[in-house]
């Protein structure tokens, strides 16, 4: 089983997810997408399992800072991919990849369900 957590290290939700995984003695790889970047293939892969409405954080400061025109242009997956590659901070965090099973965000109950099933 391979587990990858995508996010940025100073995000509180990412910190909680990483702590939870460590406390549960789950081996995982952390991918800091600000430093390590994201490829089109990674983001397109997420979109095969998750909707763009789940991945694009429309409540965050990065989204709110976009022009209304830019926000309105996110009408399909291609536009969402371009936005996420240009502005990785717009991605809701963390993105968890557990052997091809994907989840976004973190809650104790959510991770309990993912790792106890």
């Amino acid at each position: 089983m391979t587990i990858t957590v995508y996010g940025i290290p100073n995000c509180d939700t990412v910190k909680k997810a990483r702590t939870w995984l460590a406390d549960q003695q789950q081996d995982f790889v952390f991918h800091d997408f600000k430093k390590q970047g994201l490829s089109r293939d990674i983001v397109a892969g997420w979109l095969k399992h998750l909707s763009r409405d789940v991945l694009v954080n429309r409540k965050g400061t990065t989204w709110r800072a976009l022009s209304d025109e830019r926000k309105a242009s996110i009408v399909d997956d291609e536009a969402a991919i371009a936005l996420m590659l240009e502005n990785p901070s717009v991605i809701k965090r963390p993105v968890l990849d557990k052997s091809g099973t994907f989840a976004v965000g973190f809650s104790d109950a959510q991770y309990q369900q993912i790792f106890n099933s």
Side-chain angles (χ1 to χ4, degrees):
M1 174 174 63
T2 58
I3 301 168
T4 305
V5 176
Y6 295 88
I8 55 177
N10 62 342
C11 171
D12 287 341
T13 310
V14 171
K15 288 178 189 176
K16 289 176 189 174
R18 292 173 72 186
T19 298
W20 190 94
L21 289 166
D23 289 348
Q24 303 301 312
Q25 299 174 347
Q26 295 286 340
D27 290 329
F28 66 94
V29 173
F30 177 66
H31 183 103
D32 180 344
F33 54 61
K34 286 264 183 122
K35 288 185 180 167
Q36 294 170 267
L38 283 174
S39 70
R40 177 177 183 69
D41 289 344
I42 290 172
V43 177
W46 293 345
L47 286 167
K48 290 179 182 175
H49 303 277
L50 302 162
S51 81
R52 66 180 174 270
D53 293 330
V54 169
L55 283 167
V56 175
N57 182 2
R58 295 175 190 266
K59 295 179 182 175
T61 56
T62 302
W63 176 263
R64 290 194 307 261
L66 296 174
S67 70
D68 289 342
E69 182 180 299
R70 184 70 171 113
K71 291 176 191 174
S73 74
I74 310 304
V75 295
D76 59 22
D77 286 353
E78 283 303 313
I81 290 169
L83 175 66
M84 289 185 271
L85 293 175
E86 287 169 30
N87 297 298
S89 295
V90 81
I91 300 168
K92 187 170 182 183
R93 302 174 297 267
V95 176
L96 173 75
D97 176 356
K98 178 189 170 216
S99 299
T101 299
F102 294 85
V104 175
F106 170 79
S107 74
D108 185 78
Q110 175 192 26
Y111 272 43
Q112 289 281 356
Q113 183 178 12
I114 291 167
F115 286 91
N116 292 328
S117 58

